[in-house]
Amino acid sequence: MKKMKITPDKYENELLQIKKISSEMVNDCMQCGKCTAGCPATLEMDLLPHQIIRYLQLGQFHKVIESKTIWSCASCFTCAARCPRGVDLAKLMEAIRLISLRKKGNNRLNVEDVSQLMTDQKMPQQAIVSALRKYSK
Amino acid sequence: MQGGIKLRKIGVFVCWCGSNIAATVDVEQVVQEANKMSGVAYAADYQYMCSEIGQNMMKDAILKHNLDRVVIAACSPRMHEGTFRRAAEESGINPYLVEIANIREQCSWVHKDKKAGTEKAIALTRAAVAKVTLNTELIPGEIDVVKKALIIGGGIAGIQAALDIADAGYKVDIVEKTPSIGGRMAQLDKTFPTLDCSACILTPKMVDAARHPNITLHTYSEVEKISGYVGNFNVSIKKKARYVDMDKCTGCRICTEKCPSKKAKSEFEEGLKNRGAVYIPFAQAVPNVPVIDTDECIKLKTGKCGLCEKLCPSGAIDFNQKDEMITEEYGAIVVASGYDIIDLDKFGEYQYDHPDVITSLEFERITNAAGPTNGKFVRPSDGEKPKKVVFVQCVGSRDKTERGKSYCSKICCMYTAKHSMLIKEKYPDIEAYVFYIDVRTPGKNFDEFQRRAVEKYGVQYIKGMVGKIFPEGKKLMVHGVDTMSGETLVIDADMVVLAAATKAKSDAVDLKRKLNISTDINNFFTEAHPKLRPVETASAGIYLAGACQGPKDIPETVAQSSAAAAKVIGLLNKSKLVNNPCVSAVDESLCSGCLACTEMCPYDAISFKNIEIDDHGQKIKKVVADVNEALCHGCGGCTVTCRPGAIDLKGFTNKQILAEVDAICR
Amino acid sequence: MSLDSNIANKNEEFKPLIVAFCCNWCSYAGADLAGTSRLKYPANVKIIRVPCSCRVNLNFVLRAFQHGADGVVIAGCHPGDCHYSTGNYHTRRRFSLITNLTEYIGIEKERFKVDWISAAEGNKFATVMNDILEDVYKLGPNKKLRDARWKI
């Protein structure tokens, strides 16, 4: 495992953007892990919720934006409700998702793939519609 | 110069305070400007005016230039007013002819612009010079000291302070709300880091307190009203009716065994066991006399029963007893009222309603050999021995949201390590897990203590929090995370112990109003200075000891109690106290006798008197206001209430304050 | 820090003067705490120490305005916490009297403020001072009550 380089300026813009969108202070987190302990969606995650915020604290934005975690987050707000420091992690996740989606050419869901999704009997149509609204430009 | 106005010779000394002032205020310019101010005969500067060299420089200048009053432009008067007053007195100047201009905390430290800061420093110095020009010599009066101390609270803090004061030869009263002294320490099983049996080290002190000729215990009593001032506190104490004659009772306990009303939950046992209506809180209670709970007693509620009265071999039960009010005088008061732990109703994720999820205090009672399970470590739900126990730290502590307390409760890391080791000592096959955020073990031998739990006893310490506890059949599924390895985990626990946050007692606000001392936002009593005056309050004569001032463990509590006792002994030792001379004074020629000031005074320090004055040859009798200088605290409210402006406050007269306003607004 | 620069840009010549009467036990200590915590507020605020906020006479407030102050603040302990137990209740009553009078004689009500600042509230002290300065900046210099012998 390579040694991580801590370069605070490298992702300064992205981190500032996260702060602007979510209005949450990443440094408020004391890494207690209560968010991860209560999160119902950790099965599908590669990085755990508290690790996401740790990487943000260390300025490692690239690790966060490439993770599966931010897309597995169900926005159930259990983490936000229980955090002893009052950090709304769900809002932070949304901010990271938005930054990813706003990048040029980032269509997470293409219109062509919708027909494939509709073959899944269990997939609610509402989910497809809202996903299309959110995930494609 | 007799009769005329004496020309002032004011000395102005401006301090650099190293670079604290000099960095943002041009000290030399202030000195230059000071020299131009009217009345100033000498102005100088120095790096550290409060140092011995600085003070000597001031004293030399006073003698050399015949200065009669002094202005120091330096740090806040709350820091060094006393220092400079003493120095002036040593040079022969009345200490009240000294004024301080605060050019550090209120100037150099808050303004970055040197020009603006210097201008402000000059204005503040000018105001101080204007004020000191009008200062008069003030001589402090003397107050008697009642050689008796009051301690509110009979836990280890109160007991230790009482023993120290009593051993020094002074009389002490302890007022304790519950039927017995002992407090929280009596509820504990063993204490960290020595693992001494808590009752074994506490009960000798409790007995000493009861037997000491200088100590009087007022148990099952509360302080009702406090008036007066340092050296002379007048306190009303309500001694609640025990319905038991303390002189006749032998402590045989027949009444407590036979009482038919057994529905009340024992407060001492944290609700894990029931008690009768007539009860002694615990076996080693001091005094060893029961108390009848009026809400639970069948006889007191309905008139029927009275079994205890019939069975008592000494005829000590007396249902006709009434609450008694007594008033006592004290020279000093120590507040040692203790702490509670928070209610866990806002922490639903920990499932506190489940009988097998308990708080740390409940755990102490369960492991205690004299507790509800006779020391057997069993589940409250079915009485079976647990195989896996999970400890959760920081329940409600370090929590910035409305649910919890933002502070660290200090004792939980240590007592959790203690709890886990106590279990492992008795039952090595039980698995113990501790979920923590940080482990805080700052005291002597504390870290070694906690590491023993991990290294010697195999307690599994997991750095992460618990998300939620799901009861599943007989088990409690604890969902947590190990942040260090990055794994979420679930433990099928049989019991969960929550280290709930400590909080101030619910009647702390009530007590603070009675004493007129302050509490912080968490309702812990505020000390006079967090670093240098940890046992005093802002009110002279009232001291703090123990967890009522902030969460702390037993060694710190005992240290603080002895410190408070030392302060009390120092106070009671004085034959007379010197009082604040900045009191109100009435100009009888102007006073109209309306007595509006008497209504306003918070200390009832103003009364009236009849005088006879000579008005152009005619003798007229009139009523004028009269200030009791011992009671007057110098707030100055009366001066504003006075319509003719007859009453003024020495040290802060109307003319002085107007002179300050004029000097600033120039 | 941004406030200082904002103010400097707005009106270069107008240097307002705020006189603050602070009670020795709470608000003066709070001002000291603001200093110890190195909080920043503009140097236009000058503090006069009084033993209790109830010491402040209407005369002092009017004198301050008369001699050129653009704003006056009386800072005391929180109600219920007065070091002299009931002093600040009297301040509270006088506050309504003084505001009525100053409004009647034409001094804008934003120029006079009474606030409760405890010894632990260094932050609040700085905020209160910054706020009244901002208000006074918007209103401009106090010309309503002044000594007629002065030429302004």
Side-chain angles (χ1 to χ4, degrees):
Chain A
M1 214 170 183
K2 249 177 71 176
K3 288 192 202 232
M4 180 173 74
K5 283 208 184 73
I6 302 196
T7 42
D9 325 329
K10 191 164 181 201
Y11 294 105
E12 208 179 337
N13 284 333
E14 283 85 349
L15 292 167
L16 193 61
Q17 243 195 316
I18 291 179
K19 190 162 145 193
K20 267 177 139 177
I21 298 174
S22 66
S23 64
E24 293 293 319
M25 298 292 292
V26 169
N27 280 332
D28 284 353
C29 169
M30 62 175 176
Q31 289 288 294
C32 71
K34 194 131 182 221
C35 46
T36 304
C39 177
T42 52
L43 270 170
E44 297 294 318
M45 294 182 174
D46 49 358
L47 290 177
L48 292 171
H50 75 276
Q51 290 177 325
I52 293 273
I53 204 170
R54 182 65 190 145
Y55 278 124
L56 285 176
Q57 284 179 340
L58 290 167
Q60 309 292 310
F61 185 73
H62 55 288
K63 287 226 167 75
V64 163
I65 198 101
E66 288 156 17
S67 69
K68 280 201 291 173
T69 303
I70 55 176
W71 305 108
S72 297
C73 168
S75 293
C76 70
F77 288 99
T78 303
C79 52
R82 292 190 185 156
C83 176
R85 307 308 282 175
V87 176
D88 193 333
L89 186 54
K91 251 199 203 167
L92 272 165
M93 290 283 189
E94 179 64 18
I96 306 167
R97 286 194 288 260
L98 285 174
I99 292 177
S100 170
L101 289 169
R102 288 175 191 179
K103 277 199 173 41
K104 205 166 176 212
N106 246 13
N107 261 1
R108 202 165 159 79
L109 179 64
N110 289 316
V111 181
E112 299 87 51
D113 301 328
V114 171
S115 47
Q116 176 71 17
L117 283 169
M118 302 256 303
T119 59
D120 182 353
Q121 292 282 0
K122 292 205 181 127
M123 176 70 73
Q125 286 179 335
Q126 200 176 27
I128 301 177
V129 173
S130 56
L132 199 63
R133 278 195 184 135
K134 187 160 177 174
Y135 288 158
S136 66
K137 290 205 276 259
Chain B
M1 234 153 101
Q2 293 282 61
I5 301 169
K6 186 162 157 225
L7 281 176
R8 299 285 179 243
K9 293 186 91 171
I10 301 171
V12 177
F13 300 91
V14 187
C15 186
W16 291 46
C17 197
S19 64
N20 280 311
I21 295 178
T24 39
V25 167
D26 187 342
V27 171
E28 277 144 351
Q29 200 186 346
V30 177
V31 171
Q32 264 181 8
E33 292 299 314
N35 263 316
K36 299 180 198 160
M37 292 175 196
S38 125
V40 174
Y42 177 77
D45 60 79
Y46 183 64
Q47 262 101 346
Y48 297 101
M49 277 307 301
C50 53
S51 66
E52 197 174 333
I53 304 178
Q55 290 187 49
N56 284 336
M57 181 195 117
M58 183 182 94
K59 290 192 222 175
D60 290 340
I62 291 173
L63 291 169
K64 186 165 165 212
H65 299 267
N66 252 324
L67 303 174
D68 64 357
R69 28 201 88 202
V70 169
V71 165
I72 315 274
C75 54
S76 171
R78 293 171 65 89
M79 285 239 63
H80 282 310
E81 190 172 52
T83 318
F84 293 117
R85 283 208 173 136
R86 274 191 296 277
E89 201 171 12
E90 283 163 22
S91 324
I93 296 185
N94 180 291
Y96 291 90
L97 296 177
V98 173
E99 282 295 322
I100 315 259
N102 184 341
I103 61 169
R104 189 182 73 167
E105 279 88 335
Q106 292 177 4
C107 188
S108 73
W109 272 353
V110 287
H111 308 311
K112 279 189 305 189
D113 179 26
K114 197 157 184 180
K115 188 159 163 279
T118 310
E119 204 191 303
K120 179 168 167 177
I122 295 169
L124 292 175
T125 311
R126 186 179 304 123
V129 168
K131 180 161 188 240
V132 89
T133 309
L134 297 165
N135 276 19
T136 51
E137 294 184 352
L138 298 176
I139 317 265
E142 285 178 338
I143 317 174
D144 281 330
V145 179
V146 173
K147 307 259 184 234
K148 201 166 166 197
L150 169 67
I151 300 191
I152 303 178
I156 180 65
I159 293 171
Q160 182 62 48
L163 287 170
D164 287 340
I165 298 174
D167 282 341
Y170 296 102
K171 295 232 177 288
V172 190
D173 283 358
I174 300 182
V175 171
E176 166 57 44
K177 202 160 75 165
T178 65
S180 164
I181 57 173
R184 290 269 172 234
M185 199 173 161
Q187 289 179 294
L188 304 181
D189 178 20
K190 300 216 171 21
T191 56
F192 60 77
T194 46
L195 293 181
D196 283 314
C197 152
S198 181
C200 309
I201 54 176
L202 175 66
T203 41
K205 283 196 192 272
M206 284 165 63
V207 172
D208 278 347
R211 291 234 183 96
H212 204 295
N214 282 340
I215 300 180
T216 310
L217 297 179
H218 296 287
T219 50
Y220 211 46
S221 308
E222 282 180 60
V223 165
E224 281 291 303
K225 192 164 173 290
I226 303 170
S227 62
Y229 49 96
V230 58
N232 300 272
F233 289 109
N234 192 291
V235 182
S236 313
I237 299 170
K238 179 164 99 174
K239 290 173 74 87
K240 295 190 286 206
R242 292 179 102 102
Y243 302 103
V244 176
D245 189 330
M246 287 185 74
D247 297 317
K248 291 192 185 149
C249 175
T250 58
C252 67
R253 313 218 176 196
I254 292 179
C255 53
T256 61
E257 273 171 39
K258 303 289 184 190
C259 177
S261 161
K262 290 244 187 273
K263 279 181 277 150
K265 294 257 174 246
S266 165
E267 295 86 352
F268 184 80
E269 303 286 2
E270 293 293 313
L272 292 171
K273 201 174 168 186
N274 285 3
R275 59 162 170 81
V278 57
Y279 69 102
I280 292 184
F282 54 102
Q284 303 84 13
V286 169
N288 192 11
V289 173
V291 135
I292 299 184
D293 183 351
T294 38
D295 296 325
E296 297 292 327
C297 174
I298 301 173
K299 170 93 184 202
L300 286 171
K301 284 201 296 190
T302 64
K304 300 195 180 72
C305 184
L307 192 60
C308 50
E309 192 179 17
K310 299 191 192 91
L311 292 173
C312 176
S314 339
I317 307 277
D318 176 8
F319 286 106
N320 295 317
Q321 253 187 29
K322 299 261 178 286
D323 293 344
E324 195 191 332
M325 282 292 259
I326 59 171
T327 15
E328 295 278 347
E329 299 247 313
Y330 301 102
I333 300 178
V334 178
V335 183
S337 44
Y339 70 97
D340 271 336
I341 53 175
I342 58 169
D343 295 317
L344 292 172
D345 47 337
K346 292 213 184 98
F347 291 90
E349 65 262 38
Y350 295 120
Q351 296 281 351
Y352 181 58
D353 342 331
H354 193 286
D356 293 330
V357 177
I358 57 176
T359 62
S360 39
L361 267 176
E362 288 165 7
F363 180 92
E364 292 279 350
R365 294 313 307 155
I366 291 177
T367 50
N368 195 313
T373 61
N374 293 319
K376 288 206 181 26
F377 188 56
V378 291
R379 287 154 50 101
S381 59
D382 53 16
E384 279 178 22
K385 202 181 94 175
K387 293 188 231 34
K388 291 192 190 169
V389 182
V390 166
F391 293 90
V392 183
Q393 287 185 186
C394 286
V395 175
S397 304
R398 303 181 67 187
D399 187 322
K400 263 181 12 184
T401 65
E402 308 93 41
R403 290 203 301 166
K405 304 286 176 192
S406 60
Y407 49 83
C408 164
S409 295
K410 204 164 194 188
I411 50 180
C412 330
C413 282
M414 281 305 288
Y415 70 53
T416 303
K418 171 186 78 172
H419 289 170
S420 58
M421 281 198 278
L422 287 178
I423 297 181
K424 287 296 236 187
E425 214 20 269
K426 282 194 207 159
Y427 312 95
D429 48 316
I430 294 185
E431 288 171 39
Y433 301 89
V434 178
F435 282 92
Y436 68 96
I437 307 177
D438 290 297
V439 174
R440 296 184 163 178
T441 52
K444 193 165 174 179
N445 294 320
F446 280 18
D447 200 63
E448 294 89 329
F449 182 79
Q450 189 267 335
R451 286 308 299 170
R452 236 173 39 223
V454 178
E455 293 165 14
K456 185 168 166 214
Y457 290 94
V459 176
Q460 188 70 258
Y461 265 74
I462 301 170
K463 184 166 165 61
M465 281 266 77
V466 166
K468 190 162 176 174
I469 297 174
F470 291 96
E472 225 176 79
K474 281 183 141 192
K475 293 270 181 188
L476 292 159
M477 306 308 282
V478 177
H479 289 251
V481 60
D482 178 42
T483 57
M484 304 261 248
S485 64
E487 301 280 348
T488 51
L489 43 85
V490 61
I491 299 178
D492 51 338
D494 298 295
M495 259 180 95
V496 176
V497 184
L498 304 174
T502 54
K503 68 170 186 186
K505 279 213 141 77
S506 43
D507 60 355
V509 177
D510 205 36
L511 189 56
K512 96 159 182 188
R513 292 272 156 86
K514 289 179 186 164
L515 286 161
N516 202 22
I517 56 178
S518 20
T519 52
D520 63 14
I521 47 167
N522 295 308
N523 286 337
F524 289 110
F525 293 109
T526 327
E527 59 288 314
H529 188 280
K531 283 274 191 214
L532 297 175
R533 299 173 69 196
V535 295
E536 300 162 79
T537 57
S539 309
I542 303 180
Y543 304 96
L544 301 171
C548 62
Q549 181 256 342
K552 55 178 66 73
D553 53 27
I554 295 171
E556 284 182 337
T557 301
V558 172
Q560 202 181 37
S561 305
S562 293
K567 295 274 177 198
V568 168
I569 293 167
L571 171 65
L572 297 182
N573 207 21
K574 297 196 165 77
S575 48
K576 292 216 182 277
L577 280 180
V578 167
N579 81 334
N580 172 26
C582 295
V583 291
S584 301
V586 179
D587 181 344
E588 290 171 2
S589 59
L590 291 174
C591 177
S592 63
C594 70
L595 301 182
C597 50
T598 61
E599 318 266 313
M600 184 272 161
C601 180
Y603 299 94
D604 288 328
I606 313 181
S607 55
F608 64 92
K609 63 178 182 185
N610 292 304
I611 59 164
E612 208 179 76
I613 56 164
D614 190 323
D615 183 18
H616 296 93
Q618 257 194 312
K619 290 223 190 306
I620 299 179
K621 282 207 180 93
K622 75 171 189 172
V623 168
V624 291
D626 184 37
V627 177
N628 177 340
E629 297 209 344
L631 288 177
C632 175
H633 278 60
C635 70
C638 51
T639 61
V640 184
T641 321
C642 180
R643 294 164 198 144
I647 194 169
D648 210 347
L649 181 65
K650 290 193 248 191
F652 291 92
T653 60
N654 289 321
K655 282 213 170 87
Q656 283 174 319
I657 300 184
L658 286 171
E660 281 187 271
V661 172
D662 288 347
I664 282 185
C665 294
R666 235 180 62 168
Chain C
M1 38 121 223
S2 55
L3 186 63
D4 265 338
S5 46
N6 273 343
I7 288 171
N9 290 333
K10 274 189 188 149
N11 195 336
E12 237 102 274
E13 273 126 2
F14 174 36
K15 286 208 187 85
L17 170 63
I18 310 281
V19 177
F21 293 96
C22 289
C23 83
N24 180 52
W25 303 97
C26 284
S27 40
Y28 195 88
D32 278 350
L33 182 61
T36 336
S37 319
R38 310 291 196 277
L39 300 172
K40 301 277 173 252
Y41 54 90
N44 316 69
V45 173
K46 294 176 176 120
I47 297 172
I48 294 180
R49 183 170 71 136
V50 287
C52 179
S53 52
C54 68
R55 176 71 187 91
V56 180
N57 204 321
L58 168 63
N59 293 333
F60 304 160
V61 175
L62 292 177
R63 179 85 154 220
F65 280 125
Q66 186 188 25
H67 281 218
D70 300 296
V72 173
V73 178
I74 303 179
C77 311
H78 286 265
D81 294 340
C82 178
H83 182 258
Y84 302 100
S85 63
T86 50
N88 53 4
Y89 294 145
H90 294 269
T91 317
R92 200 160 54 174
R93 287 182 218 167
R94 286 170 204 157
F95 165 58
S96 58
L97 175 73
I98 300 179
T99 39
N100 277 322
L101 178 64
T102 49
E103 247 180 301
Y104 182 72
I105 56 181
I107 297 179
E108 299 90 328
K109 67 174 191 301
E110 287 87 3
R111 294 191 188 276
F112 175 69
K113 204 184 214 184
V114 170
D115 216 332
W116 315 116
I117 302 172
S118 83
E121 289 177 321
N123 277 317
K124 186 169 180 197
F125 185 85
T127 313
V128 167
M129 295 303 146
N130 280 324
D131 285 347
I132 189 170
L133 260 155
E134 223 186 302
D135 289 340
V136 165
Y137 256 117
K138 289 194 199 122
L139 294 170
N142 162 38
K143 290 196 198 299
K144 283 292 179 178
L145 188 70
R146 63 191 194 282
D147 194 327
R149 295 170 293 182
W150 291 15
K151 297 182 186 71
I152 293 180

